[in-house]
């Protein structure tokens, strides 16, 4: 019995067409035949065209036959075909219609990437006049496109195989069908009846959120349009408000009028910016230290020497850049940069060339310098971004709670997380390690591949330093391909999921040295890097959590771990068992 498609019976058809009789007849063909009933085709190469053929008969050893079925009386006059009712048939009659379908299927082979099989398969067409007998056509003169040799009649319904084989065995331009059974099945599954089963990926919710995150907000657009007409502006925004996005877009716009120097402080952010702006030849991305080394020709940055070189450029008009864009500008409050007046000199140089200077900063995140650069404080044109377009509402709230704030920036409508931030507390490094491993596995199982482990300390001081290995210029967690970094080094970047480790009382300690960050700032910096999922791993037992809450002025109650989790807008998962 032939392989019938569909196997449950003929598709919807007009009863007057008698296609059900043909379907039943063709089902008696041997099992090396495939039969498709009512095959529709949408061709899109060059233009969109729809085609349909009543039956397709395919045999890997004989070829492919398109059959157009017609029931009732027919007649032909002046080259036009008519039904018994006198209505003219469409598409120039049944033979031309079958021939057109045949060529459409050949084209479908190309669109379905099966061209290599098309050239080893014969393509033929035929017409089945299901209500008429062969004897009815004795002595009839058929139009040029028609032939009794490619016509089936009522006579063939009882046993169609001999006639089908006869037609399919006819020579076609010296081509023979030469397909293996496997290639025959490939034609069926690729061209005649493709089968698929596609389900949404496990990270569908995250993908939909990314669509929301990718929108350029009205507030961002307004600032971008505004600064286009300003030669100098400083733009403040909390973590996730799109500062870097606007900085890159403004750099691209400025690059059309001259060379752009794009500066930041840390090397990881520089690498990320350079990758995203790689298609812009007129933009040079550097860290401020790297820029100093380039200008001075030294292996280590000397900002006072850099200031002298910039003054020389001002004297001889030798500064090669017309525009300067700075991201994470609050980090430029380092004493040597501040005292040498680098920012003021850069502004003076681009102003002399009628260029532009834009500095983006976060007033909360000066983790490199000891104070906000005076250059920012003295700026005349200051703008602020208010809407968070990176974090979910719960992650944004967790981040600012680390700074003692109870309200996060506005978050985009439509942004949601599958789970709130989770907090796990233990003073046992082995249990912390097992928890991190379990979370990495769980996050990856939900389709999140961009996972990073961030420490609030340094690698050397991390309780989990034994789990870190160096790879090239960076670090990773064990051998799982998950990045490991410090909150300082990762500032300005983002990841789908962040596992924040080494969270303890030191993260909220009052600064001891000039460049120590304010209490909670490293927690805020690290937590705000997370787009979709955040895990907080506290290197503390209940007593440690109780002491930290006391420092924060929060009543620990009888369950200090749960109280700390609530204070940081997290769910306490410390009670769940972790396999070692």
């Amino acid at each position: 019995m032939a392989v019938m498609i569909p196997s449950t019976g003929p598709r919807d058809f007009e009863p007057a067409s008698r296609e059900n009789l043909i379907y039943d007849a063709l089902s008696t063909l041997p099992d090396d035949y495939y039969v498709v009933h009512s095959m529709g085709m949408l061709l899109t190469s060059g233009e969109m065209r729809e085609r349909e053929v009543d039956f397709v008969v395919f045999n890997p050893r004989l070829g492919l036959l398109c059959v157009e079925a017609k029931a009732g009386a027919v007649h032909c006059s002046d080259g036009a075909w008519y039904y018994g009712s006198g209505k003219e048939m469409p598409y120039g009659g049944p033979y031309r219609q079958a021939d057109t379908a045949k060529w459409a299927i050949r084209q479908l082979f190309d669109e379905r990437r099966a061209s290599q099989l098309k050239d080893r398969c014969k393509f033929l067409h035929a017409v089945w006049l299901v209500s008429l007998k062969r004897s009815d056509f004795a002595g009839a003169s058929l139009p040029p496109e028609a032939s009794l040799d490619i016509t089936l009649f009522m006579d063939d319904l009882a046993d169609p195989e001999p006639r089908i084989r006869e037609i399919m065995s006819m020579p076609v331009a010296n081509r023979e069908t030469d397909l293996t059974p496997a290639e025959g099945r490939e034609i069926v599954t690729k061209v005649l009846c493709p089968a698929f089963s596609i389900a949404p990926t496990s990270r569908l919710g995250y993908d939909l959120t990314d669509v929301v995150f990718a929108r350029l907000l009205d507030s961002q657009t307004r600032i971008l349009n505004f600064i286009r007409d300003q030669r100098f502006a400083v733009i403040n925004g909390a973590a996730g408000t799109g500062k870097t996005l606007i900085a890159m877009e403004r750099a691209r716009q400025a690059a059309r009028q001259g060379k752009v120097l794009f500066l930041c402080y840390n090397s990881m952010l520089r690498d990320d910016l350079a990758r995203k702006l790689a298609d812009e030849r007129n933009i040079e991305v550097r860290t401020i230290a790297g820029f100093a080394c380039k200008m001075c020709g030294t292996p280590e940055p000397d900002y006072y020497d850099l200031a002298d070189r910039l003054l020389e450029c001002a004297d001889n008009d030798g500064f090669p850049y017309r525009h300067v864009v700075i991201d994470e500008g609050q980090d430029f409050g380092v004493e040597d940069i501040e005292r040498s007046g680098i920012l003021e000199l850069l502004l003076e140089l681009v102003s002399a060339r009628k260029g532009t200077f834009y500095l983006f900063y976060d007033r909360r995140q000066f983790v490199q310098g000891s104070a906000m650069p005076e250059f920012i404080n003295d700026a005349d044109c200051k703008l602020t971004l208010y809407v968070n377009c990176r974090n979910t509402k719960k992650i944004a709230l967790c981040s600012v709670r680390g700074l003692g704030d109870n309200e996060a920036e506005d978050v985009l409508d439509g942004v949601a997380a599958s789970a709130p931030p989770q907090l796990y507390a233990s003073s046992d490094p082995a249990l912390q390690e097992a928890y991190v491993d379990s979370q990495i596995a769980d996050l990856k199982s939900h389709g999140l591949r961009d996972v990073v482990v961030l420490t609030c300390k340094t690698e050397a001081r991390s309780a989990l330093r034994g789990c870190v290995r160096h790879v090239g210029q960076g670090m990773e967690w064990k051998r799982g391909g998950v990045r490991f970094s410090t909150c300082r080094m990762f500032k300005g970047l983002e990841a789908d999921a962040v596992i924040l480790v080494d969270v303890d009382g030191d993260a909220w300690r009052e600064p001891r040295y000039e460049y120590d960050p304010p209490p909670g700032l490293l927690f805020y910096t690290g937590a705000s890097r997370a787009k979709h999922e955040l895990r907080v791993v506290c290197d503390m037992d209940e007593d440690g959590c109780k002491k930290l809450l006391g420092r924060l002025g929060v009543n620990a109650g009888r369950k200090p771990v749960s109280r700390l989790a609530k204070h940081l807008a997290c769910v306490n998962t410390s009670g769940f068992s972790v396999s070692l």
Side-chain angles (χ1 to χ4, degrees):
M1 183 175 178
V3 177
M4 303 301 292
I5 303 171
S7 61
T8 55
R11 292 190 172 99
D12 290 342
F13 65 95
E14 287 294 332
S17 72
R18 307 287 180 86
E19 290 178 22
N20 59 318
L21 299 179
I22 299 177
Y23 180 96
D24 292 341
L26 291 174
S27 68
T28 66
L29 292 173
D31 57 12
D32 56 345
Y33 283 86
Y34 297 87
V35 178
V36 182
H37 174 233
S38 187
M39 178 175 171
M41 292 169 277
L42 178 65
L43 306 173
T44 57
S45 295
E47 62 176 326
M48 184 178 292
R49 293 175 293 143
E50 292 183 86
R51 295 288 185 270
E52 191 267 343
V53 59
D54 291 333
F55 291 93
V56 176
V57 179
F58 172 63
N59 184 299
R61 294 181 292 108
L62 297 174
L64 187 146
L65 175 67
C66 292
V67 180
E68 184 64 28
K70 289 293 181 253
V74 297
H75 72 272
C76 181
S77 175
D78 296 327
W81 287 79
Y82 298 89
Y83 295 106
S85 64
K87 182 180 178 182
E88 185 176 351
M89 294 183 186
Y91 308 110
Y95 292 90
R96 284 197 175 96
Q97 188 173 356
D99 183 51
T100 299
K102 174 184 68 180
W103 290 102
I105 289 182
R106 283 180 58 88
Q107 183 178 335
L108 198 61
F109 270 68
D110 296 329
E111 294 194 4
R112 300 287 172 84
R113 299 180 181 179
S115 301
Q116 76 282 3
L117 301 177
K118 177 187 68 176
D119 296 332
R120 293 166 45 217
C121 179
K122 286 196 302 184
F123 290 80
L124 306 104
H125 67 282
V127 172
W128 200 323
L129 302 175
V130 70
S131 302
L132 304 175
K133 297 180 179 180
R134 184 170 281 99
S135 58
D136 295 334
F137 278 77
S141 295
L142 298 176
E145 76 275 8
S147 169
L148 293 178
D149 292 337
I150 57 172
T151 307
L152 294 99
F153 297 94
M154 181 192 301
D155 316 60
D156 301 305
L157 286 173
D159 183 16
E161 200 273 336
R163 190 77 184 102
I164 292 289
R165 180 177 292 275
E166 182 181 354
I167 295 174
M168 297 184 74
S169 298
M170 295 174 63
V172 178
N174 298 319
R175 177 176 295 170
E176 294 296 331
T177 299
D178 179 25
L179 298 167
T180 66
E183 290 171 332
R185 288 191 294 272
E186 184 177 355
I187 287 176
V188 173
T189 57
K190 269 190 175 181
V191 182
L192 302 181
C193 184
F196 63 86
S197 177
I198 301 175
T201 65
S202 57
R203 61 162 291 149
L204 173 64
Y206 301 123
D207 290 335
L208 295 176
T209 297
D210 282 337
V211 172
V212 179
F213 282 150
R215 294 199 308 245
L216 195 61
L217 303 177
D218 289 341
S219 59
Q220 294 173 332
T221 303
R222 286 197 298 271
I223 283 186
L224 188 59
N225 291 337
F226 178 80
I227 64 176
R228 186 182 292 122
D229 298 324
Q230 306 298 315
R231 294 197 177 277
F232 167 47
V234 295
I235 301 95
N236 170 55
T241 52
K243 300 184 298 298
T244 300
L245 178 67
I246 300 175
M248 289 193 299
E249 184 58 31
R250 184 61 198 125
R252 288 190 176 97
Q253 294 174 352
R256 299 166 192 161
Q257 285 82 44
K259 193 168 184 179
V260 179
L261 175 64
F262 199 127
L263 293 175
C264 61
Y265 192 87
N266 74 63
S267 59
M268 291 185 71
L269 178 56
R270 175 207 58 203
D271 293 344
D272 188 62
L273 290 168
R275 177 179 58 82
K276 292 176 178 175
L277 295 170
D279 59 332
E280 297 285 352
R281 293 185 177 181
N282 236 15
I283 300 177
E284 183 178 323
V285 181
R286 291 191 178 272
T287 63
I288 182 63
F291 176 63
C293 293
K294 176 196 173 186
M295 292 293 290
C296 303
T298 57
E300 297 294 331
D302 184 331
Y303 296 112
Y304 298 99
D305 190 13
L306 173 61
D308 291 340
R309 299 301 175 98
L310 294 177
L311 287 170
E312 291 174 8
C313 289
D315 293 338
N316 59 27
D317 194 26
F319 192 63
Y321 311 98
R322 188 179 178 192
H323 308 278
V324 171
V325 177
I326 296 176
D327 194 22
E328 301 291 341
Q330 73 281 353
D331 290 342
F332 287 56
V334 172
E335 183 178 4
D336 285 351
I337 299 176
E338 184 82 345
R339 290 187 176 180
S340 57
I342 299 299
L343 297 179
E344 289 81 0
L345 287 169
L346 289 173
L347 174 60
E348 181 182 332
L349 286 166
V350 296
S351 297
R353 301 193 61 188
K354 298 189 182 325
T356 57
F357 185 105
Y358 307 105
L359 184 147
F360 296 80
Y361 73 102
D362 182 351
R363 61 181 177 81
R364 288 168 161 163
Q365 287 196 77
F366 48 93
V367 300
Q368 306 293 352
S370 59
M372 192 66 67
E374 285 301 315
F375 179 87
I376 294 176
N377 295 330
D378 296 340
D380 293 328
C381 180
K382 294 180 181 178
L383 305 168
T384 300
L385 289 160
Y386 291 103
V387 180
N388 186 318
C389 56
R390 175 200 295 145
N391 311 128
T392 65
K393 181 72 174 179
K394 294 172 182 177
I395 291 176
L397 180 59
C398 176
S399 302
V400 299
R401 284 283 182 89
L403 296 174
D405 293 347
N406 290 320
E407 293 295 331
E409 288 75 13
D410 291 336
V411 173
L412 288 175
D413 291 336
V415 171
S418 62
Q422 298 178 21
L423 182 144
Y424 179 84
S426 172
S427 58
D428 185 341
L431 290 176
Q432 295 176 37
E433 177 187 347
Y435 177 78
V436 173
D437 286 339
S438 69
Q439 293 307 300
I440 290 174
D442 181 66
L443 292 166
K444 287 188 174 182
S445 73
H446 286 85
L448 293 178
R449 295 291 179 265
D450 184 18
V451 181
V452 63
V453 179
L454 298 180
T455 174
C456 289
K457 300 182 182 295
T458 63
E459 177 201 358
R461 294 181 58 231
S462 171
L464 300 173
R465 55 187 174 276
C467 303
V468 180
R469 72 188 197 110
H470 290 261
V471 180
Q473 299 297 315
M475 296 177 287
E476 72 174 26
W477 177 264
K478 296 183 176 179
R479 297 181 179 274
V482 171
R483 289 177 293 173
F484 182 92
S485 185
T486 68
C487 293
R488 287 177 182 268
M489 294 172 62
F490 206 72
K491 192 167 65 64
L493 301 174
E494 64 184 27
D496 285 345
V498 168
I499 302 176
L500 190 60
V501 301
D502 297 309
V503 177
D504 62 14
D506 286 348
W508 284 269
R509 184 186 61 194
E510 290 296 328
R512 297 176 182 175
Y513 304 102
E514 183 179 7
Y515 293 117
D516 281 351
L521 185 56
L522 285 177
F523 178 91
Y524 166 78
T525 300
S528 62
R529 303 304 98 197
K531 290 175 62 178
H532 298 299
E533 297 285 354
L534 173 63
R535 306 289 185 264
V536 177
V537 182
C538 295
D539 184 22
M540 294 181 288
D541 55 16
E542 287 201 352
D543 188 56
C545 292
K546 184 175 182 179
K547 290 179 180 178
L548 173 58
L549 288 167
R551 183 181 301 172
L552 298 175
V554 177
N555 181 11
R558 291 179 297 174
K559 297 181 178 180
V561 177
S562 295
R563 190 66 188 86
L564 178 62
K566 183 177 180 180
H567 178 74
L568 295 175
C570 294
V571 172
N572 179 19
T573 59
S574 304
F576 293 91
S577 61
V578 178
S579 299
L580 293 175

